[in-house]
Structures are given as structure tokens and as C-alpha cells.
């Protein structure tokens, strides 16, 4: 059981990394495209590439969310005003169904692609980025905090009683135990981001004529996104079912 | 009188403690003698755990905890500003009611303390692990499964593993907070015998709510009742000739 768990965790982790590298590669390509002078043909794919920019940004937001949760949970007392502020914001944002975020994203995205004359970075693009960040970060903060909290006080105290410092307790005891839960939260947030991206991609596809879409390989990318989203929610549910 | 003073390793002076607004400990003063077993007895919720958690600064992490008074360890104030709390906890170890081995091998459990305090050669670690496990009488039982997880051990063995883990950092004082609370009657005598045996090298503080157990293992005993130290003195005297009526009622089983 323990071994299969380790294997599964590493698969989830490796997938996260591979997905990250994949999108990173896409960003690299995007950069050259942005620099190009827009033509009637390249306009649409440019907007499309920006979509891929959203996903690595989401991943960064997830990592930031994990760091933020560590800071809130381990460094600040529950009574701290900043922690309470963030926690109540997180509660509000995670309370909003992701469908609404999806609609918001579509709204921005559609006006973005319609309105953009190919010069790329517009206010709307930043609004889109913000939507994605708000989509993933509060969720990550909440799940990471829950995972950290699930490591019982006695195990921390046993380590403290041996003279471990706060940092040592965190890195040697808490993180290994909370890791599956944290990873599950990341997968869930990533699945959310991918699903939203797939939605945008789908909407984008309808804007093309059928042939252009096929030649641009949009359909396959759409499917790829959906599959990735599904994959991550599978990871999430598996990791969630095996609490440590 | 003078020689007695030299024997004292830990002095608790006028200790008051609160969780939030609720006072848990009321004006406690007593001395813990070097290489003796000092038992703290008292009914549930009398503040025994709160008291011992002050002694190794484990309450530092409890948010609404607050105290007044002085705790001197070898004459030095434990809570003085330049004192490092992690060093205090290295010198004043603690074994809890429920044995909680870490999620790693038996060997790594015992090696954890020395490792974090900077011992990293495997030769030295091996020696420390073996010595500590021998000390608690667990070596012969676990030698073949040192790399196995502690889950396979019985609760009593796990508790002795936790004691070995605490011994591995060579503390001066070892606090036991109801170490037999979760153990079955077969395992309890082993831990009691171990406590009596450890007295030769360590100063022990033994919290229990079983009066007979305190009578069996300790040299000095304090009776805590509702946060007050009703009586403190040599165990024999406390149990056979208690000065306070509440102590007498408690040791004879009429109170608590
Ligand atoms: N972190 C805390 N915050 C608030 N109150 C606490 C906290 N820990 C303990 N208490 C309260 O302090 C009182 C004393 O508790 P303590 O654990 O010291 O008793 P005890 O003598 O060790 O009891 P037991 O024999 O059950 O272990 C109890 O009434 C308990 O409810
Ligand atoms: Mg207690």
C-alpha cells in the first residue's frame, strides 16, 4: 500500500512538472509570435497562444498559494488580522462556483478576442489572468491549510520535545505527512484551470471556420486540455481518498 | 540543608499559569531533586500536564497561555530572553501519554534527535541507537526489524521506543506525562521498572493519576488539586503521613 502510494504521488508530481514544461515550451513559442506583425491569418492563433500563457500562470499561482498557506498556517497566529483577512477572502472566493468564474472568463475572453486588433497585451488579457488566479489560488490556500492542519499537534510536540526547531518540525515531520493533501489540492486547482482553459478553447474554436480550426490543430488541443483536466481531477480524488 | 540545595536541579517558584482568562496553576513552588523520581499526582484536569509543559517550554506554542513566576534550571531562568527554547527542550525531554512514533523506520525514530542536534556519522548514530534501545530493553526485540516501521510494534513497545528516542538526545531531565495511560497491564510494569532504572542517570518527573503507581516509582511526590500544589514531599511521607486532609483523602481514594 505504502509503495503504491509513493508511486502514485510521483506520477502526479511528474505529470505536474511535465505539464508545466509543456506549457513553458508553448510560452517560449508564444513570445516569438507576439513579436510578429499581425496578419489576418496569425491574429487568431496569437490570441490562442495567450490562452496557453494562462495555464503556466495558474501553476505559478498555485505554487504561490501553497507558499501563502504555509505562511498563514505556520507562521501567523489564528488571531492575526492579516491571516483572518486572507482566510475570509479565501472563504468567499472558494464559495463561488467555478461555473461563474468560467462565465466571467468567457465574457472577458470573447470581448478580448473580438476587440483585440492583434497588438497582444491588453487590459483584458490581464483581467483574464486575474480571473485564473482567483480561480486557483484561494482553493489552493484552503486545501493546503487543511492539509497542514491535519498533521496532529502531538506529532509536532513529540519532535519539539526532542529539541527540534520550528523549521525542522515543519520540514521533517509536517511536510512529509501533509504532502499528499497538498498535492491533491494542487491537482484540483490545476484541473479547475485546465477545465476553464478548455472552455475558452472550445469557444475560440467556434470562432473559426471548420477548416482553419483543423489546420490549426485546435480540436486536438481542446481534447488535450480536457483530458489533462480529467487527469488532474482523478489524481485529486485518488489522493483525497487516502488521507494520511 | 546546604547539600540538599545543591541536589536541586529545577526550582519552580510562585508559578501561576492561565489559558486565556482561566487560571490553571495557582502559586506553585517546589524543587526537583537531581537523579530522583519526582511524581506529580492529582485528579484529571488538575493542571499536571500544564505544569510539566511549562518546564520544557512546550507551552510556548499555546497561544492563549500566559504565566508568572520563575522556573530555574541549574540556577538559570528557563524563560530568560537569551535562553534558546530548543536547547531547553533538548535538555528537558518529554514522553507523552500516547506513544507517537514518527513516520519512519525504528532506527530513524531513535536517530532523529541526535541527527537534528548535529550527529551525522553513521558509526556514532548506530552506537547511540543501540545504546538507547538497550537502555529501554527493546534492542533484542527490534534488532532484526530496525528498518521496519514502528507500526508493527505493540503499544507498549512503541512507548519504550518513544522513551529511547527521548534518551538518544541525552537530556538531563526526562518528563513522563502519564506514560502508562494507554498501556495494558502487562506493559505497565515494564515501563515502571524502566523509570526506576533510569533514575541512576537522569532526573525524572513522572505525572500520573494512579496513586499506587506514584507510590511505587517515586522518591518525591506532589499532590496537585484544582491547580494548587496541596502537598509536596518525600513519597513515603506523603502516602503514609499526609499533612493535608485533601491529600489524605486522595491517597486513600476518597477524593478525585
Ligand atoms: N490549550 C488549552 N487551552 C485552554 N485550556 C486548556 C488547554 N489545555 C488544557 N486546558 C485546560 O486546563 C485544565 C488543566 O488541564 P491539564 O491538561 O493540565 O490537566 P491534567 O491534570 O493533565 O489532566 P489529565 O489527568 O486529564 O491529563 C483543564 O481544565 C483543561 O481543560
Ligand atoms: Mg494530562
Amino acid at each position: 500500500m505504502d509503495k503504491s502510494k509513493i508511486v502514485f504521488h510521483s506520477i502526479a508530481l511528474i505529470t505536474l512538472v511535465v505539464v508545466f514544461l509543456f506549457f513553458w515550451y508553448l510560452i517560449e513559442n508564444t513570445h516569438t509570435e507576439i513579436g510578429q506583425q499581425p496578419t489576418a491569418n496569425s491574429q487568431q492563433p496569437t490570441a490562442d497562444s495567450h490562452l496557453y500563457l494562462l495555464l503556466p500562470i495558474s501553476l505559478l499561482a498555485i505554487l504561490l498559494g501553497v507558499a501563502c498557506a504555509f505562511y498563514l498556517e505556520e507562521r501567523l497566529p489564528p488571531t492575526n488580522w492579516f491571516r483572518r483577512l486572507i482566510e475570509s477572502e479565501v472563504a468567499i472566493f472558494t464559495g463561488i462556483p467555478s461555473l461563474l468564474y468560467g462565465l466571467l472568463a468567457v465574457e472577458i475572453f470573447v470581448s478580448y478576442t473580438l476587440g483585440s486588433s492583434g497588438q497582444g497585451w491588453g487590459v483584458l488579457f490581464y483581467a483574464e489572468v486575474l480571473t485564473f488566479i482567483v480561480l486557483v489560488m484561494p482553493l489552493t490556500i484552503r486545501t493546503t491549510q487543511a492539509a497542514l492542519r491535519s498533521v496532529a499537534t502531538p506529532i509536532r510536540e513529540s519532535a519539539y520535545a526532542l529539541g527540534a526547531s520550528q523549521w525542522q518540525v515543519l520540514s521533517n515531520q509536517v511536510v512529509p505527512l501533509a504532502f499528499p493533501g497538498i498535492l491533491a489540492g494542487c491537482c484540483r486547482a490545476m484541473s479547475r484551470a485546465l477545465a476553464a482553459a478548455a472552455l475558452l478553447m472550445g469557444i475560440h474554436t467556434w470562432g473559426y471556420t471548420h477548416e482553419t480550426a483543423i489546420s490549426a490543430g485546435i480540436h486536438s488541443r481542446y481534447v488535450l486540455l480536457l483530458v489533462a483536466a480529467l487527469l488532474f481531477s482523478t489524481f485529486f480524488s485518488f489522493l483525497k481518498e487516502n488521507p494520511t | 540543608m546546604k547539600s540538599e540545595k545543591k541536589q536541586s536541579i529545577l526550582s519552580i517558584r510562585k508559578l501561576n499559569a492561565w489559558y486565556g482568562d482561566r487560571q490553571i496553576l495557582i502559586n506553585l513552588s517546589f524543587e526537583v531533586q537531581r537523579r530522583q523520581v519526582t511524581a506529580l499526582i492529582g485528579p484529571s484536569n488538575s493542571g499536571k500536564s500544564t505544569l510539566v509543559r511549562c518546564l520544557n517550554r512546550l507551552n510556548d506554542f499555546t497561544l492563549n497561555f500566559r504565566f508568572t513566576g520563575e522556573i530555574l534550571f541549574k540556577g538559570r531562568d528557563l524563560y530568560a530572553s537569551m535562553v534558546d527554547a530548543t536547547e531547553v527542550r533538548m535538555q528537558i525531554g518529554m514522553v507523552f501519554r500516547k506513544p507517537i512514533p514518527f513516520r519512519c523506520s525504528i532506527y530513524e525514530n531513535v536517530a532523529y534527535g541526535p541527527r537534528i542536534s548535529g550527529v551525522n556519522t553513521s558509526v556514532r548514530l548506530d552506537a547511540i541507537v543501540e545504546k538507547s534501545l538497550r537502555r529501554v530493553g527493546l534492542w533484542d526485540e527490534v534488532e532484526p526489524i530496525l528498518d521496519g516501521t514502528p507500526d508493527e510494534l505493540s503499544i507498549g513497545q512503541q512507548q519504550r521506543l518513544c522513551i529511547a528516542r527521548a534518551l538518544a538526545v541525552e537530556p538531563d531531565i526526562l518528563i513522563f506525562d502519564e506514560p502508562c495511560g494507554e498501556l495494558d497491564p502487562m506493559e505497565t510494569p515494564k515501563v515502571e521498572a524502566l523509570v526506576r532504572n533510569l533514575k541512576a542517570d537522569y532526573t525524572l518527573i513522572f505525572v500520573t493519576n494512579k496513586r499506587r503507581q506514584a507510590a511505587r516509582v517515586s522518591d518525591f511526590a506532589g499532590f496537585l488539586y484544582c491547580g494548587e500544589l496541596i502537598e509536596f514531599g518525600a513519597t513515603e511521607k506523603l502516602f503514609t503521613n499526609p499533612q493535608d486532609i485533601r491529600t489524605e483523602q486522595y491517597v486513600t481514594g476518597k477524593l478525585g
Side-chain angles (χ1 to χ4, degrees), chain A residues 171-188:
Chain A
S171 59
N172 306 339
Q173 309 297 339
V174 178
V175 169
L177 288 174
F179 186 70
I182 295 173
L183 196 59
C186 293
C187 286
R188 187 172 165 204

Side-chain angles (χ1 to χ4, degrees), chain A residues 154-165 169, chain B residues 56-58 61 85-96 102 112-113 116 165-167 169 171 173-175:
Chain A
I155 202 143
R156 296 168 187 248
E157 288 185 342
S158 308
Y160 280 129
L162 295 173
S165 65
V169 171
Chain B
N56 70 344
R57 295 193 58 170
L58 213 51
F61 304 106
T86 58
E87 242 160 66
V88 168
R89 292 187 208 107
M90 238 175 252
Q91 285 161 5
I92 307 181
M94 190 146 172
V95 173
F96 300 85
F102 299 136
Y112 184 71
I116 58 173
R165 182 173 75 183
L167 292 179
V169 283
I173 302 180
L174 194 53
I175 300 169

Side-chain angles (χ1 to χ4, degrees), chain B residues 9-29:
Chain B
I9 185 167
L10 200 62
S11 325
I12 290 89
R13 293 190 187 154
K14 298 209 174 87
L15 184 70
N16 290 278
W18 293 263
Y19 285 122
D21 290 334
R22 208 171 125 224
Q23 186 159 14
I24 307 293
L25 300 176
I26 304 157
N27 208 17
L28 308 185
S29 301

Side-chain angles (χ1 to χ4, degrees), chain B residues 43-50 52-53 97 177-178 207 209:
Chain B
S44 220
N45 288 339
S46 50
K48 306 180 297 292
S49 298
T50 309
V52 291
R53 287 164 60 92
R97 176 190 169 98
D177 192 354
E178 289 189 53
V207 173
N209 52 17

Side-chain angles (χ1 to χ4, degrees), chain A residues 74-135:
Chain A
E74 301 293 332
R75 301 298 305 179
L76 297 180
T79 48
N80 180 283
W81 66 268
F82 180 69
R83 177 168 169 180
R84 277 166 57 185
L85 179 75
I86 300 282
E87 278 176 353
S88 57
E89 294 304 318
V90 162
I92 292 167
F93 281 121
T94 49
I96 299 172
S98 56
L99 175 69
L100 293 185
Y101 287 116
L103 289 178
L104 178 65
V106 167
E107 181 66 37
I108 297 170
F109 188 71
V110 167
S111 36
Y112 170 53
T113 33
L114 289 183
S116 104
S117 49
Q119 70 269 70
W121 309 86
V123 175
L124 285 170
F125 178 73
Y126 289 111
E128 195 69 51
V129 167
L130 211 61
T131 312
F132 268 70
I133 289 177
V134 170
L135 180 70

Side-chain angles (χ1 to χ4, degrees), chain B residues 15-242:
Chain B
L15 184 70
N16 290 278
W18 293 263
Y19 285 122
D21 290 334
R22 208 171 125 224
Q23 186 159 14
I24 307 293
L25 300 176
I26 304 157
N27 208 17
L28 308 185
S29 301
F30 63 97
E31 307 271 320
V32 175
Q33 306 297 323
R34 191 185 293 271
R35 304 223 164 137
Q36 300 285 316
V37 183
T38 303
L40 293 167
I41 54 172
S44 220
N45 288 339
S46 50
K48 306 180 297 292
S49 298
T50 309
L51 170 59
V52 291
R53 287 164 60 92
C54 293
L55 305 183
N56 70 344
R57 295 193 58 170
L58 213 51
N59 268 336
D60 286 13
F61 304 106
T62 312
L63 285 167
N64 53 0
F65 175 80
R66 175 168 72 81
F67 81 100
T68 62
E70 246 184 352
I71 299 169
L72 302 179
F73 171 57
K74 294 179 174 169
R76 248 174 70 195
D77 187 353
L78 268 191
Y79 284 83
S81 57
M82 64 284 188
V83 173
D84 179 3
T86 58
E87 242 160 66
V88 168
R89 292 187 208 107
M90 238 175 252
Q91 285 161 5
I92 307 181
M94 190 146 172
V95 173
F96 300 85
R97 176 190 169 98
K98 195 171 182 212
I100 302 179
F102 299 136
R103 280 287 195 103
C104 51
S105 68
I106 292 172
Y107 179 95
E108 284 303 326
N109 260 280
V110 183
Y112 184 71
R115 253 191 222 287
I116 58 173
S117 55
V119 180
N120 46 24
T121 63
S122 62
V123 184
R124 279 184 66 202
L125 282 175
D126 287 352
I128 292 174
V129 169
E130 179 172 348
K131 186 178 160 218
S132 309
L133 285 171
R134 275 196 195 285
R135 193 75 211 253
V136 300
L138 208 55
W139 177 252
D140 296 328
E141 294 161 56
V142 302
E143 197 198 344
I145 51 165
L146 272 182
D147 292 324
T149 72
D151 301 349
E152 296 151 28
L153 303 177
S154 73
I155 290 285
Q157 286 174 317
Q158 287 187 17
Q159 187 61 296
R160 279 185 287 149
L161 175 66
C162 288
I163 298 172
R165 182 173 75 183
L167 292 179
V169 283
E170 289 291 335
D172 288 317
I173 302 180
L174 194 53
I175 300 169
F176 292 82
D177 192 354
E178 289 189 53
C180 306
E182 304 267 320
L183 307 192
D184 61 44
M186 298 292 290
E187 321 244 32
T188 304
K190 285 187 193 164
V191 173
E192 285 179 18
L194 178 58
V195 169
R196 276 193 300 264
N197 170 277
L198 286 176
K199 193 175 94 175
D201 301 306
Y202 303 92
T203 304
L204 304 170
I205 297 174
F206 191 91
V207 173
T208 176
N209 52 17
K210 298 195 190 102
R211 41 215 126 198
R212 293 226 201 84
Q213 189 174 49
R216 282 194 296 269
V217 302
S218 68
D219 307 296
F220 293 89
F223 170 53
L224 225 69
Y225 186 68
C226 295
E228 279 182 87
L229 188 64
I230 305 294
E231 197 165 337
F232 187 89
T235 303
E236 222 188 85
K237 185 158 166 286
L238 194 103
F239 276 87
T240 55
N241 185 21

